[in-house]
Amino acid sequence: MESAGSWDALEWTKIEPVTRPVSRDVLEFLLEAEQVIVEGYGVVLVNTDEAGTLAVTNFRLLFLSEGTRNVIALGTIPLATIEKFSKLVTKPSSAPRQPDKTPPKRLLQVIGKDMRIVVFGFRPRTKQRRAVYEALIRSTRPTRLWDLYAFTCGPSKFSNINPKVRLLNEYFRLLGLGSYHASTGTIEDGSYTLSNEWWRISDVNYNYSMCPTYPFSFIVPKCISDEELLQASSFRARSRLPVISWCHPGTGAVLARSSQPLVGLMMNMRSNADEKLVAALCTEFTLAKRPKRKIYIADARPRKNALANGAMGGGSESSANYFQSEIVFFGIDNIHAMRESLARLRDYLDTHGATSSDGMSSFLRHGGWTWGGGNLSSMSASVSTLGDSGWLIHVQSVLAGSAWIAARVAMESASVLVHCSDGWDRTTQLVSLASLMLDPYYRTFKGFQALVEKDWLAFGHPFADRLDMPIMMGTSSMPFELTRQSSTGSFSSSPMRQSSGSFSTQAPTASPAQTSNNYSPIFLQLLRMYPFAFEFSAVCNLLVTAFLVDLLECMLSCRFGNFFCNSEKERQQYGVSDACGCLWMYLADLHATESSSHVHYNLFYDPSKHEGPLLPPAAALAPTLWPQFHLQWACPSEAQGGELEAQCRSMAKKFSELQKAKEVAEMRAREITTVMESLTTELQSQKQMSRSAMDLARKAGKENAVIKRAIQSLGCKVQFSSSDCTVDIECNPPLTQPKFTYSPSENESDGTRPKDEKSDLSVSVTLLANDPVSDDPIGRVCETLCPLRTREGGCRWPDAGCAQLGSQFVGLRANFDAFDCLNIYDTYFQSK
C-alpha cells in the first residue's frame, strides 16, 4: 500500500460546504439520544487511506466509509475515550531545486486511551477541520459531569439496581449468610449489620463521615467495636483503616486491605487501636494443635518508596509492633510509571503495527520487507523498544504479587493485609486478582460483577481521576459542583514519523484540553490464565477475554454511569445510579441474546476442573500482550481470537440450534403422544357405548318383534312413518265377535273414541310436540292405548284387567322381561 500515491489519487476538487443537513447514512447509525454536532465530508482516515464522512456527536467521533457506507471501527471513537487531539500540517517532500506546488495536508491526530492513534485528513481550502476540532474542544472535555452522554441518554432499558443492595448481598455470601437478602428497606432500617462466628458487618461509616472513600458498610472482626474502628481510622492515610475484603469460609483466613500507616519519618508512631484491629484479623484455628495463625502485611510499593513516604507522615508497619506479622514489599511502581509505560507501548504498537497512523503498513516501511516494522537488523532494537516500555514488567509484578497472596491464604491458612500508599490503586489490583484466584465464584459473570463492584467501586478506586473524567468538588457554596483537574502532564508521542521520507512534519498544534496527571491505566492490567476456570470467554491459549474487552470499552467510553466519580459517596450524592444506564445490565443483555453461544461465554468452561483456588507457578506468570485489547487497532487481524475458536464457536452455535430444534421436536412428539392417548381413550369409550347401544337395539328389536306379532295376531296391520313419528294400526274384526265388549270410560283421556262394533277398528297415534319422544313407536302404542294406565304413566300389567280382555299385548314393553313367565300359548294371539 503506497500511502502517498493513494493520498494524491483522491479527488480534492469538489468542495463541500461545512454546514448542511445531517446525512441519512449518519442518522441510521446514531444511538439513543445521540445527536450530530458537526459533519465533515470527503475526510480521509490516513491509517487505512479510506475516504468517508466524519461526524462529531455528543457521544463519539463517527466515521462512515464513502464506499460501503458502513461504520469504520478504527475511525469511530467515543469522546470520553479520546485522551488528546491536535492539528497537524504536513508537506510532501520534493526534489531539490524544484518548486513544490502541492498544498500541505491538513491533518487531525486523535490519541485514544484504548491504545489507538488515528489521523484524519481534510480537504484543503475548507473549514471542515476547524469545525471538527472546535466541536471536539467543546465536547470531549465537559466541565460538568451531567454533560456526559450517559446523563443525556438516561437509564433507558438498562436501569440500575441499587449498588448498595448488591454489595450487601456479597457480604452475606462471604459471611455464609446466603439465606439473607438485602433490600432498600434493610438499608434504611439498618438491619443489615449481621455477623457470623468471627466477622460482622459494621455501619460505622453509614454517612461516610469516618472515611469518604470507603463504602457505607464493610466487614470487620466481630471483637472490634465501632469506637475502636474510629480510633484506628485516624492512624491510616485518608482514614482507610484495615477492613476485610474476602474471608475463607472454612479456615477463617482473611484477605484485608487498607492504606499506609502514618508512622512518620522515624517510623516511631504507633496506634493501639490499629494494632489490635490488625491482630484481630488472625483468628484462632479450630484445631488447637495447629500453630497460631500468621498475618502477612503486603506493602505493594518498593521499599524505598515506602521509606520516602515517611517524610510526608506515611511509611510502613514494623513487624515488632504487630502480633505474628511479617512485612513483605512487592516493588510495584506507582500510577505515573504505569502511565508512561502505556504511552511507550502505544507508540511501539503504532510504529510497528499494520494500520499505523502515518498511513503506511509496517510491512512496506523502509522500502522492503520488514520484521516488526523494521529491517532484519532492527530486530533487536524492536524487541528492546517493547522491553523499554516496561508494561509487561508491571503486569508481571502485579500477577506475581497476587499469586503470592493467594498462596499464603490457601496453603498456609494465613491472613494477608494489603496496602500501598492510599490503598486504592495497587492495593485494589492485588486484592481483586488474589480473590479471583481464591474464589471460584468470582470467575463467573455474576461473581466477577460482584468483585468489581466491591473491590474497585465500593472501596473507592478513583475512576474519575484515572480516566480523566469530571470530578466532584466539595465546596460550601456548591457541594456538588463538578470540574476537571488541571493538566500538569501528558503523554509524549509522535506518531507522525518521517520514517519513509515522504512527509515532513511541522510542529503540531496541541489541543487546549490535556490529560490529567492522575490518569492511569490501572484497571487495564486485569488478566487471567486458566482456560477452563472462567465462565467468561477465553481466546485459545492467549487467555484473554472478549467479555473484559467489552467491559473496558464501555468503561472508557463513559456510556454508562457505573464508573463515574471517585467513590460510592460521590455517586450516591449525584444520583448516578438513577440517572444513568447500568453497564452490567447492558452486558447481560448482550450475552443473553445468544445464550451460551455468545462470544462472552467460554466454550471450555468447566467449574469441576478448578473447584478450589488457582495457584499458578512462577513459570506461568510470564505475561504477554493482550491481543484483543492492545492489538485490536494496530494489528486487527492478529487481534482476533483465531480461526480455531471461531470454528469451535460456530460449531457450538450450530449444536445449540440443533439442541433447541431437538427440544422442540421432542415437545411436539410428547404433545402428539398425549393427543393419541386421549383419542385412544375416547375411541374405547365410543366402542363401549356402541356395544351398549347394539345390545339395547337387539333387545328393543326382539321386543318390537314380539309386540308386532301380538298386534298382527289380532288381525291388525302396523304401519310406521318415521318422518312424523306416526304409527297407524288398522284392524279388521274377526268373524266371530267376542261375547263381551269394552268401552273406555269418559274420564280416560287416551285420545280415542268408541267405534261401531261392525265397523273396522282404525287407531291412529300421533306424537305431539310437547310429548316425550320415544325411540320405540310400538311401545308408544302400548302406553297410549292401555286402559288401565296409571296417572303417573305407569302400567299395572300383568295383574291388570287387560290380560282378560284379549289385549295382552298392551303393556308388554313396560314389562317385557315378565313375558316369558306368562302361561300363554302362541295360538292365543291368533284370530278366531
Side-chain angles (χ1 to χ4, degrees):
M1 178 175 66
E2 293 293 336
S3 175
S6 300
W7 179 283
D8 295 337
L10 295 174
E11 297 182 359
W12 297 90
T13 56
K14 186 179 179 180
I15 306 299
E16 298 287 348
V18 177
T19 57
R20 73 175 192 182
V22 180
S23 62
R24 293 182 179 179
D25 296 327
V26 174
L27 293 176
E28 180 182 353
F29 294 101
L30 295 181
L31 301 175
E32 181 181 2
E34 187 177 10
Q35 300 176 352
V36 176
I37 300 175
V38 68
E39 269 188 296
Y41 306 95
V43 180
V44 176
L45 179 60
V46 177
N47 302 63
T48 58
D49 258 359
E50 190 165 8
T53 301
L54 180 65
V56 180
T57 73
N58 58 339
F59 174 60
R60 56 183 169 169
L61 269 178
L62 182 62
F63 185 77
L64 271 64
S65 171
E66 192 173 89
T68 63
R69 308 311 300 170
N70 292 327
V71 174
I72 305 302
L74 177 61
T76 301
I77 177 172
L79 300 179
T81 309
I82 297 176
E83 180 187 317
K84 65 177 183 178
F85 53 93
S86 57
K87 293 187 292 185
L88 303 175
V89 178
T90 63
K91 293 182 179 180
S93 58
S94 57
R97 299 181 181 179
Q98 291 185 357
D100 184 12
K101 298 182 180 180
T102 304
K105 298 179 174 60
R106 290 167 172 77
L107 309 175
L108 178 65
Q109 177 194 84
V110 178
I111 300 177
K113 305 170 188 176
D114 57 353
M115 305 302 295
R116 83 174 99 180
I117 300 176
V118 292
V119 175
F120 299 99
F122 295 82
R123 292 189 178 110
R125 295 182 295 275
T126 67
K127 298 180 180 180
Q128 291 191 120
R129 184 180 68 161
R130 177 186 297 178
V132 171
Y133 179 79
E134 292 177 351
L136 289 178
I137 292 178
R138 296 191 304 268
S139 305
T140 58
R141 295 294 185 265
T143 58
R144 303 181 305 174
L145 187 63
W146 55 79
D147 289 335
L148 292 174
Y149 168 75
F151 285 88
T152 304
C153 179
S156 185
K157 65 176 181 178
F158 307 115
S159 58
N160 198 358
I161 303 175
N162 191 345
K164 291 183 177 182
V165 174
R166 294 195 295 260
L167 180 63
L168 286 178
N169 285 328
E170 175 59 13
Y171 286 166
F172 295 160
R173 186 191 73 88
L174 291 174
L175 297 182
L177 307 173
S179 59
Y180 291 88
H181 297 284
S183 64
T184 304
T186 59
I187 297 176
E188 293 176 352
D189 60 25
S191 59
Y192 59 86
T193 55
L194 306 177
S195 64
N196 63 9
E197 180 183 0
W198 295 313
W199 323 115
R200 69 181 179 93
I201 302 175
S202 173
D203 62 351
V204 68
N205 197 43
Y206 181 80
N207 294 321
Y208 308 102
S209 58
M210 183 192 72
C211 179
T213 59
Y214 262 18
F216 77 105
S217 65
F218 39 72
I219 302 176
V220 295
K222 190 175 182 179
C223 60
I224 302 297
S225 65
D226 287 345
E227 291 75 12
E228 291 172 319
L229 293 177
L230 291 171
Q231 294 176 11
S233 65
S234 62
F235 186 68
R236 294 281 171 170
R238 301 184 185 273
S239 299
R240 295 172 66 90
L241 75 163
V243 295
I244 297 172
S245 177
W246 184 84
C247 50
H248 196 285
T251 65
V254 301
L255 190 56
R257 59 181 298 164
S258 70
S259 61
Q260 65 178 341
L262 303 179
V263 296
L265 181 61
M266 304 303 296
M267 298 185 64
N268 56 356
M269 299 296 293
R270 297 180 59 178
S271 170
N272 292 333
D274 183 77
E275 294 172 9
K276 181 180 179 180
L277 175 58
V278 174
L281 300 176
C282 296
T283 59
E284 295 293 335
F285 284 108
T286 305
L287 298 178
K289 295 181 179 179
R290 298 193 62 176
K292 292 184 178 181
R293 191 187 305 276
K294 187 175 184 179
I295 182 169
Y296 291 93
I297 300 178
D299 195 325
R301 303 166 293 181
R303 183 187 295 269
K304 61 179 181 179
N305 291 15
L307 295 176
N309 284 338
M312 297 180 290
S316 186
E317 295 87 350
S318 173
S319 59
N321 299 333
Y322 292 87
F323 180 74
Q324 291 289 111
S325 67
E326 179 179 341
I327 314 299
V328 181
F329 292 92
F330 285 169
I332 303 175
D333 288 325
N334 58 25
I335 62 172
H336 308 292
M338 300 290 181
R339 181 176 62 250
E340 295 171 0
S341 174
L342 186 66
R344 290 192 295 267
L345 175 63
R346 182 174 54 197
D347 283 345
Y348 169 80
L349 295 176
D350 183 67
T351 302
H352 305 297
T355 57
S356 180
S357 60
D358 62 4
M360 291 175 293
S361 170
S362 63
F363 294 101
L364 297 178
R365 281 201 181 91
H366 305 295
W369 289 99
T370 65
W371 177 89
N375 52 38
L376 295 180
S377 62
S378 66
M379 293 175 63
S380 59
S382 177
V383 174
S384 176
T385 303
L386 177 60
D388 290 343
S389 69
W391 180 256
L392 298 182
I393 301 299
H394 296 316
V395 173
Q396 186 178 26
S397 298
V398 174
L399 286 175
S402 303
W404 186 91
I405 294 172
R408 302 288 74 75
V409 175
M411 299 175 65
E412 300 181 18
S413 297
S415 295
V416 181
L417 171 62
V418 184
H419 71 75
C420 52
S421 296
D422 295 319
W424 53 34
D425 287 318
R426 288 164 286 188
T427 299
T428 301
Q429 285 181 297
L430 293 170
V431 170
S432 60
L433 282 175
S435 300
L436 199 67
M437 296 177 186
L438 288 169
D439 196 338
Y441 173 70
Y442 292 139
R443 302 169 208 152
T444 65
F445 283 113
K446 187 176 180 180
F448 187 78
Q449 172 185 339
L451 177 67
V452 172
E453 288 199 299
K454 173 173 63 73
D455 282 314
W456 290 83
L457 292 170
F459 280 96
H461 178 70
F463 281 101
D465 292 344
R466 301 299 177 258
L467 299 180
D468 197 26
M469 293 188 294
I471 62 175
M472 182 176 293
M473 301 296 293
T475 61
S476 58
S477 59
M478 298 184 66
F480 305 135
E481 180 68 20
L482 298 167
T483 183
R484 183 174 296 275
Q485 288 193 349
S486 59
S487 300
T488 58
S490 60
F491 282 37
S492 59
S493 59
S494 54
M496 297 303 296
R497 291 167 294 276
Q498 301 183 31
S499 54
S500 64
S502 60
F503 293 103
S504 61
T505 307
Q506 293 182 354
T509 303
S511 63
Q514 298 293 339
T515 304
S516 168
N517 194 39
N518 286 329
Y519 169 77
S520 181
I522 295 296
F523 193 62
L524 307 185
Q525 292 180 336
L526 280 176
L527 298 176
R528 61 187 183 84
M529 60 180 59
Y530 289 90
F532 299 102
F534 292 82
E535 185 181 13
F536 32 89
S537 57
V539 179
C540 298
N541 61 343
L542 299 178
L543 308 174
V544 294
T545 166
F547 172 71
L548 288 183
V549 170
D550 288 341
L551 170 64
L552 292 175
E553 288 180 349
C554 290
M555 178 192 68
L556 293 174
S557 68
C558 295
R559 182 177 176 181
F560 305 98
N562 300 74
F563 296 92
F564 287 175
C565 305
N566 285 327
S567 64
E568 178 184 282
K569 174 186 177 182
E570 292 182 2
R571 284 186 291 273
Q572 176 178 311
Q573 289 179 335
Y574 205 66
V576 172
S577 60
D578 296 328
C580 303
C582 179
L583 166 67
W584 309 115
M585 296 293 292
Y586 169 74
L587 294 177
D589 182 72
L590 278 183
H591 59 245
T593 55
E594 301 179 22
S595 185
S596 58
S597 61
H598 192 269
V599 69
H600 283 178
Y601 282 89
N602 179 13
L603 298 176
F604 309 105
Y605 176 56
D606 187 357
S608 62
K609 291 183 179 295
H610 299 285
E611 296 178 350
L614 305 178
L615 303 176
L621 297 177
T624 183
L625 290 179
W626 187 352
Q628 278 188 297
F629 184 80
H630 292 129
L631 303 180
Q632 62 176 329
W633 308 118
C635 306
S637 59
E638 287 75 10
Q640 302 303 317
E643 186 177 356
L644 177 62
E645 186 185 352
Q647 292 181 357
C648 184
R649 193 170 296 280
S650 176
M651 293 176 61
K653 185 175 182 179
K654 292 180 180 178
F655 177 79
S656 178
E657 293 174 353
L658 292 175
Q659 189 72 18
K660 292 180 179 179
K662 176 186 175 183
E663 294 175 356
V664 172
E666 291 177 346
M667 183 176 64
R668 180 59 179 167
R670 288 192 296 269
E671 293 176 353
I672 293 176
T673 302
T674 303
V675 172
M676 290 181 64
E677 293 176 352
S678 176
L679 292 176
T680 302
T681 303
E682 184 178 356
L683 179 61
Q684 292 176 351
S685 177
Q686 292 293 336
K687 286 182 178 180
Q688 184 67 28
M689 294 175 61
S690 177
R691 284 194 295 266
S692 300
M694 291 178 66
D695 293 341
L696 293 174
R698 285 193 297 267
K699 184 177 180 180
K702 184 179 178 180
E703 177 183 349
N704 293 340
V706 173
I707 296 176
K708 183 177 181 180
R709 188 180 62 177
I711 295 175
Q712 290 176 349
S713 67
L714 300 176
C716 299
K717 295 181 180 180
V718 182
Q719 297 179 355
F720 300 94
S721 178
S722 59
S723 60
D724 54 357
C725 298
T726 303
V727 179
D728 293 332
I729 301 176
E730 296 180 358
C731 181
N732 294 322
L735 296 176
T736 303
Q737 297 294 333
K739 295 181 179 182
F740 56 88
T741 59
Y742 169 78
S743 298
S745 60
E746 296 180 358
N747 58 354
E748 292 178 337
S749 57
D750 55 356
T752 63
R753 62 181 178 176
K755 299 291 183 177
D756 187 81
E757 295 181 356
K758 296 182 179 180
S759 63
D760 294 338
L761 177 63
S762 178
V763 180
S764 178
V765 181
T766 303
L767 297 179
L768 300 178
N770 57 353
D771 290 343
V773 179
S774 175
D775 295 334
D776 186 0
I778 297 179
R780 181 62 179 165
V781 172
C782 297
E783 296 176 359
T784 305
L785 298 180
C786 181
L788 299 178
R789 188 178 61 176
T790 63
R791 293 177 178 271
E792 292 79 10
C795 182
R796 295 190 293 270
W797 185 86
D799 298 331
C802 62
Q804 307 297 326
L805 299 177
S807 57
Q808 293 181 3
F809 69 90
V810 180
L812 288 181
R813 180 180 182 278
N815 198 355
F816 177 75
D817 293 336
F819 181 73
D820 294 334
C821 301
L822 295 176
N823 189 13
I824 302 176
Y825 296 99
D826 294 340
T827 58
Y828 178 84
F829 296 99
Q830 298 179 358
S831 300
K832 295 181 180 182

Coordinates of all heavy atoms in Angstrom, one line a residue, residues 621-660:
L621 N 3.8 -17.2 35.1 CA 3.5 -15.8 35.3 C 4.2 -14.8 34.3 O 4.2 -13.6 34.5 CB 3.8 -15.4 36.7 CG 3.1 -16.1 37.8 CD1 3.6 -15.7 39.2 CD2 1.6 -15.8 37.7
A622 N 4.8 -15.4 33.3 CA 5.4 -14.6 32.2 C 4.3 -14.0 31.4 O 3.6 -14.7 30.6 CB 6.4 -15.4 31.4
P623 N 4.0 -12.7 31.4 CA 2.9 -12.1 30.7 C 3.2 -11.9 29.2 O 4.4 -11.9 28.8 CB 2.6 -10.8 31.5 CG 4.0 -10.4 31.9 CD 4.7 -11.7 32.2
T624 N 2.2 -11.6 28.5 CA 2.3 -11.2 27.1 C 1.3 -10.1 26.8 O 0.5 -9.8 27.7 CB 2.1 -12.4 26.1 OG1 2.3 -12.0 24.8 CG2 0.7 -13.0 26.3
L625 N 1.4 -9.6 25.6 CA 0.4 -8.6 25.3 C -1.0 -9.2 25.2 O -1.2 -10.3 24.9 CB 0.8 -7.9 23.9 CG 2.0 -7.1 23.9 CD1 2.2 -6.5 22.5 CD2 1.9 -5.9 24.9
W626 N -1.9 -8.3 25.4 CA -3.4 -8.7 25.4 C -3.8 -8.4 23.9 O -4.2 -7.3 23.6 CB -4.1 -7.9 26.4 CG -5.6 -8.3 26.5 CD1 -6.3 -9.2 25.8 CD2 -6.4 -7.8 27.5 NE1 -7.6 -9.2 26.3 CE2 -7.7 -8.4 27.3 CE3 -6.3 -6.9 28.6 CZ2 -8.8 -8.1 28.1 CZ3 -7.4 -6.6 29.4 CH2 -8.6 -7.2 29.2
P627 N -3.9 -9.4 23.1 CA -4.1 -9.1 21.7 C -5.5 -8.4 21.4 O -5.5 -7.5 20.6 CB -4.1 -10.5 21.0 CG -3.3 -11.3 21.9 CD -3.6 -10.8 23.3
Q628 N -6.5 -8.9 22.1 CA -7.8 -8.3 21.8 C -7.9 -6.9 22.2 O -8.8 -6.1 21.7 CB -8.9 -9.1 22.5 CG -9.3 -10.4 21.7 CD -10.5 -11.0 22.3 OE1 -10.5 -11.5 23.5 NE2 -11.6 -11.1 21.6
F629 N -7.1 -6.4 23.1 CA -7.1 -5.0 23.5 C -5.9 -4.2 23.0 O -6.1 -3.2 22.4 CB -7.2 -4.9 25.1 CG -7.3 -3.5 25.5 CD1 -8.5 -2.9 25.5 CD2 -6.2 -2.8 26.0 CE1 -8.7 -1.5 26.0 CE2 -6.3 -1.5 26.4 CZ -7.6 -0.9 26.4
H630 N -4.7 -4.7 23.3 CA -3.6 -4.0 22.9 C -3.4 -3.9 21.3 O -2.9 -3.0 20.8 CB -2.3 -4.6 23.5 CG -2.3 -4.4 25.0 ND1 -2.0 -5.5 25.8 CD2 -2.5 -3.4 25.8 CE1 -2.1 -5.1 27.1 NE2 -2.3 -3.8 27.1
L631 N -3.8 -5.0 20.6 CA -3.5 -5.1 19.2 C -4.8 -4.9 18.4 O -4.7 -5.0 17.2 CB -2.9 -6.5 18.9 CG -1.6 -6.9 19.6 CD1 -1.2 -8.2 19.1 CD2 -0.6 -5.8 19.3
Q632 N -5.9 -4.6 19.0 CA -7.2 -4.5 18.2 C -7.1 -3.4 17.2 O -7.9 -3.5 16.2 CB -8.3 -4.3 19.2 CG -8.3 -3.0 20.0 CD -9.5 -2.8 20.8 OE1 -10.6 -3.2 20.4 NE2 -9.4 -2.1 22.0
W633 N -6.3 -2.4 17.3 CA -6.3 -1.3 16.3 C -5.0 -1.4 15.5 O -5.1 -1.1 14.3 CB -6.4 0.1 17.0 CG -7.6 0.2 17.9 CD1 -7.5 0.4 19.3 CD2 -8.9 0.1 17.6 NE1 -8.8 0.4 19.8 CE2 -9.7 0.2 18.8 CE3 -9.6 -0.2 16.4 CZ2 -11.1 0.1 18.8 CZ3 -11.0 -0.2 16.4 CH2 -11.7 -0.1 17.6
A634 N -3.9 -1.7 16.1 CA -2.6 -1.7 15.4 C -2.5 -3.0 14.5 O -2.0 -2.9 13.4 CB -1.4 -1.7 16.4
C635 N -3.0 -4.1 15.0 CA -2.9 -5.4 14.3 C -4.3 -6.0 14.3 O -4.5 -7.0 15.1 CB -1.8 -6.3 14.8 SG -0.2 -5.5 14.9
P636 N -5.3 -5.5 13.6 CA -6.6 -6.1 13.8 C -6.8 -7.5 13.4 O -7.5 -8.2 14.1 CB -7.5 -5.2 12.8 CG -6.5 -4.6 11.9 CD -5.2 -4.5 12.6
S637 N -6.1 -8.0 12.4 CA -6.2 -9.5 12.1 C -5.6 -10.3 13.1 O -6.1 -11.4 13.5 CB -5.6 -9.8 10.7 OG -4.2 -9.4 10.7
E638 N -4.5 -9.9 13.7 CA -3.8 -10.7 14.7 C -4.6 -10.6 16.1 O -4.3 -11.4 17.0 CB -2.4 -10.2 14.9 CG -1.4 -10.6 13.8 CD -1.6 -9.8 12.5 OE1 -2.4 -8.8 12.6 OE2 -1.1 -10.2 11.5
A639 N -5.4 -9.6 16.2 CA -6.1 -9.5 17.5 C -7.3 -10.3 17.6 O -7.9 -10.4 18.7 CB -6.5 -8.0 17.7
Q640 N -7.7 -11.0 16.5 CA -8.9 -11.8 16.5 C -8.6 -13.1 17.3 O -7.4 -13.5 17.6 CB -9.3 -12.2 15.1 CG -9.6 -11.0 14.3 CD -10.7 -10.1 14.9 OE1 -11.7 -10.6 15.4 NE2 -10.5 -8.8 14.9
G641 N -9.6 -13.8 17.7 CA -9.5 -15.0 18.5 C -8.9 -16.1 17.8 O -8.5 -17.1 18.4
G642 N -8.7 -16.1 16.5 CA -8.1 -17.2 15.8 C -9.2 -18.0 15.1 O -10.3 -18.1 15.6
E643 N -8.8 -18.7 14.0 CA -9.8 -19.5 13.3 C -10.3 -20.7 14.1 O -11.4 -21.1 13.9 CB -9.2 -19.9 12.0 CG -10.2 -20.6 11.0 CD -9.5 -21.0 9.7 OE1 -8.3 -20.6 9.5 OE2 -10.2 -21.6 8.9
L644 N -9.4 -21.2 14.9 CA -9.8 -22.4 15.7 C -11.0 -22.1 16.6 O -12.0 -22.9 16.6 CB -8.6 -22.9 16.5 CG -8.9 -24.1 17.4 CD1 -9.3 -25.3 16.5 CD2 -7.7 -24.5 18.2
E645 N -10.9 -21.0 17.4 CA -12.0 -20.7 18.3 C -13.2 -20.3 17.5 O -14.4 -20.6 17.9 CB -11.6 -19.7 19.3 CG -12.7 -19.5 20.3 CD -12.4 -18.3 21.3 OE1 -11.3 -17.8 21.2 OE2 -13.3 -18.0 22.0
A646 N -13.0 -19.6 16.4 CA -14.1 -19.1 15.6 C -14.9 -20.3 15.1 O -16.2 -20.4 15.1 CB -13.7 -18.3 14.4
Q647 N -14.2 -21.4 14.6 CA -14.9 -22.6 14.1 C -15.6 -23.3 15.3 O -16.7 -23.8 15.1 CB -13.9 -23.5 13.4 CG -13.4 -22.9 12.1 CD -12.4 -23.9 11.4 OE1 -12.1 -24.9 11.9 NE2 -11.9 -23.5 10.2
C648 N -14.9 -23.4 16.4 CA -15.4 -24.0 17.6 C -16.7 -23.3 18.0 O -17.7 -24.0 18.4 CB -14.4 -24.1 18.7 SG -14.9 -25.0 20.2
R649 N -16.7 -22.0 18.0 CA -17.8 -21.3 18.4 C -19.0 -21.4 17.4 O -20.1 -21.5 17.8 CB -17.5 -19.8 18.6 CG -18.5 -19.0 19.3 CD -18.0 -17.6 19.7 NE -16.9 -17.7 20.6 CZ -17.1 -17.8 21.9 NH1 -18.3 -18.0 22.4 NH2 -16.0 -17.9 22.7
S650 N -18.6 -21.5 16.1 CA -19.6 -21.7 15.1 C -20.3 -23.1 15.3 O -21.5 -23.3 15.2 CB -19.0 -21.6 13.7 OG -20.0 -21.9 12.7
M651 N -19.4 -24.1 15.6 CA -20.0 -25.4 15.8 C -20.8 -25.5 17.1 O -21.9 -26.1 17.1 CB -18.8 -26.4 16.0 CG -18.0 -26.6 14.7 SD -16.6 -27.7 14.9 CE -17.4 -29.2 15.4
A652 N -20.4 -24.7 18.1 CA -21.2 -24.7 19.3 C -22.5 -24.0 19.1 O -23.6 -24.4 19.6 CB -20.4 -24.0 20.4
K653 N -22.5 -23.0 18.2 CA -23.8 -22.3 17.9 C -24.7 -23.2 17.1 O -25.9 -23.3 17.4 CB -23.5 -21.0 17.1 CG -24.7 -20.2 16.8 CD -24.3 -18.9 16.1 CE -25.5 -18.0 15.9 NZ -25.2 -16.7 15.2
K654 N -24.1 -24.0 16.2 CA -25.0 -24.9 15.4 C -25.5 -26.0 16.3 O -26.7 -26.4 16.2 CB -24.2 -25.5 14.3 CG -23.8 -24.5 13.2 CD -23.0 -25.2 12.1 CE -22.7 -24.2 11.0 NZ -21.9 -24.8 9.9
F655 N -24.6 -26.5 17.2 CA -25.1 -27.5 18.2 C -26.2 -27.0 19.1 O -27.1 -27.7 19.4 CB -23.9 -27.9 19.0 CG -24.2 -28.9 20.1 CD1 -24.4 -30.3 19.8 CD2 -24.4 -28.6 21.4 CE1 -24.7 -31.2 20.8 CE2 -24.7 -29.5 22.4 CZ -24.9 -30.8 22.1
S656 N -26.1 -25.7 19.5 CA -27.1 -25.1 20.3 C -28.4 -25.0 19.5 O -29.5 -25.3 20.1 CB -26.7 -23.7 20.8 OG -27.7 -23.1 21.5
E657 N -28.3 -24.7 18.2 CA -29.5 -24.6 17.4 C -30.2 -26.0 17.2 O -31.4 -26.1 17.3 CB -29.2 -24.0 16.1 CG -28.8 -22.5 16.1 CD -28.3 -22.0 14.8 OE1 -28.2 -22.8 13.9 OE2 -28.1 -20.7 14.7
L658 N -29.3 -27.0 17.0 CA -29.8 -28.4 16.8 C -30.4 -28.8 18.1 O -31.4 -29.6 18.1 CB -28.7 -29.3 16.4 CG -28.1 -29.1 15.0 CD1 -26.9 -30.0 14.7 CD2 -29.2 -29.3 13.9
Q659 N -29.8 -28.5 19.3 CA -30.3 -28.9 20.6 C -31.7 -28.2 20.8 O -32.6 -28.9 21.3 CB -29.4 -28.4 21.7 CG -29.7 -29.0 23.1 CD -29.4 -30.4 23.2 OE1 -28.7 -31.0 22.4 NE2 -30.0 -31.1 24.2
K660 N -31.9 -27.0 20.4 CA -33.2 -26.3 20.5 C -34.2 -27.0 19.6 O -35.3 -27.2 20.0 CB -33.0 -24.8 20.2 CG -32.2 -24.0 21.2 CD -32.2 -22.6 20.9 CE -31.4 -21.8 21.9 NZ -31.3 -20.3 21.5

